[in-house]
Amino acid sequence: MREKLFNRKYIYIEITLMLTVAIVLTLACYTSYVQKNSVRQCFGILDDSRAQMGQMIANELNNEQSHIESASSLLVNLMPEYEKNKGLIVKIMEASSRGVPYSHWEICFPDGNVIQEDGSSIELGDKYSFDDRVSDEMTVSERRTAIMDDSTQIIMLSKSMYIDGECVGILSSVIDLEKFAGMFTGNSSQWDSRIVFV
């Protein structure tokens, strides 16, 4: 009788142990599956966000490029008599730049003089060369620092303007990378402008 009771207890213990092991294994497998699925979903969301962000940046730069190309076709004929047409040139630049908060427009002349969309003038100086920027195509500069303060991180979308095969000026949109990044995040302080365009 005692042997039967002992055998029964032993069987119950074995069954309990097997059930415990089965439950633990099931929970471990389920947890692993949920974690893998969650990680996959997170990476999918990140990939989608990155693709959307890239598309937004590309769209914004394409818009800026098309405005520069349109404005340059209006400005090129005013360049030979720049002093006489300065007011009109500034108005065209101001209207074409659309007042976006992350950029300003400027025209660089062969003599190194630069006029900005607000009508102010600065010198190109020794740091950047007019001749190095002349191109037959629309260009995007490497990341650089602004002439004004030598610290603001910028890139430039530029279009050279030609009359009879000679470059008479370069129209550029000067994009402040910190402000540009802030446009997409809503908070520019969260972004380091050095990582936007490497």
Side-chain angles (χ1 to χ4, degrees):
M1 184 86 165
R2 284 184 183 180
E3 254 182 62
K4 284 183 181 177
L5 284 173
F6 181 76
N7 286 340
R8 237 184 236 173
K9 283 181 184 177
Y10 185 71
I11 290 170
Y12 289 144
I13 290 170
E14 279 185 340
I15 291 171
T16 303
L17 284 173
M18 285 190 297
L19 285 173
T20 303
V21 168
I23 290 169
V24 168
L25 287 173
T26 303
L27 284 173
C29 291
Y30 179 73
T31 303
S32 175
Y33 169 77
V34 168
Q35 285 178 334
K36 284 179 184 176
N37 197 36
S38 297
V39 167
R40 199 177 310 115
Q41 285 178 342
C42 287
F43 277 114
I45 291 168
L46 286 172
D47 285 343
D48 290 346
S49 298
R50 184 177 58 208
Q52 288 174 356
M53 182 72 75
Q55 189 59 54
M56 288 167 62
I57 291 171
N59 289 345
E60 194 63 30
L61 291 177
N62 285 337
N63 286 341
E64 197 75 0
Q65 179 177 333
S66 66
H67 281 89
I68 288 172
E69 288 175 341
S70 298
S72 67
S73 64
L74 293 172
L75 291 167
V76 67
N77 296 320
L78 301 173
M79 300 300 285
E81 296 183 334
Y82 160 72
E83 289 298 335
K84 179 182 170 186
N85 297 321
K86 182 177 178 181
L88 185 56
I89 289 170
V90 168
K91 282 182 181 176
I92 291 171
M93 280 200 296
E94 199 173 19
S96 300
S97 68
R98 306 171 290 142
V100 292
Y102 60 79
S103 74
H104 70 271
W105 282 28
E106 62 187 32
I107 296 175
C108 182
F109 293 92
D111 62 3
N113 188 35
V114 178
I115 181 167
Q116 299 186 324
E117 66 184 46
D118 62 1
S120 62
S121 295
I122 55 173
E123 289 295 319
L124 193 59
D126 299 330
K127 191 170 181 180
Y128 302 116
S129 163
F130 175 86
D131 293 331
D132 290 345
R133 292 177 54 199
V134 173
S135 174
D136 294 335
E137 305 290 331
M138 174 73 75
T139 61
V140 180
S141 72
E142 74 283 0
R143 190 183 67 234
R144 55 177 64 179
T145 55
I147 298 171
M148 298 291 286
D149 60 13
D150 203 33
S151 63
T152 303
Q153 296 287 308
I154 63 166
I155 60 166
M156 300 175 75
L157 296 179
S158 301
K159 174 80 174 171
S160 300
M161 296 178 284
Y162 292 90
I163 294 178
D164 298 328
E166 182 182 350
C167 183
V168 294
I170 302 170
L171 177 63
S172 298
S173 172
V174 181
I175 298 173
D176 181 320
L177 292 179
E178 185 175 348
K179 289 179 181 176
F180 187 70
M183 192 180 89
F184 296 102
T185 63
N187 183 2
S188 60
S189 64
Q190 292 178 347
W191 281 68
D192 184 341
S193 59
R194 290 172 297 177
I195 64 173
V196 178
F197 289 91
V198 178

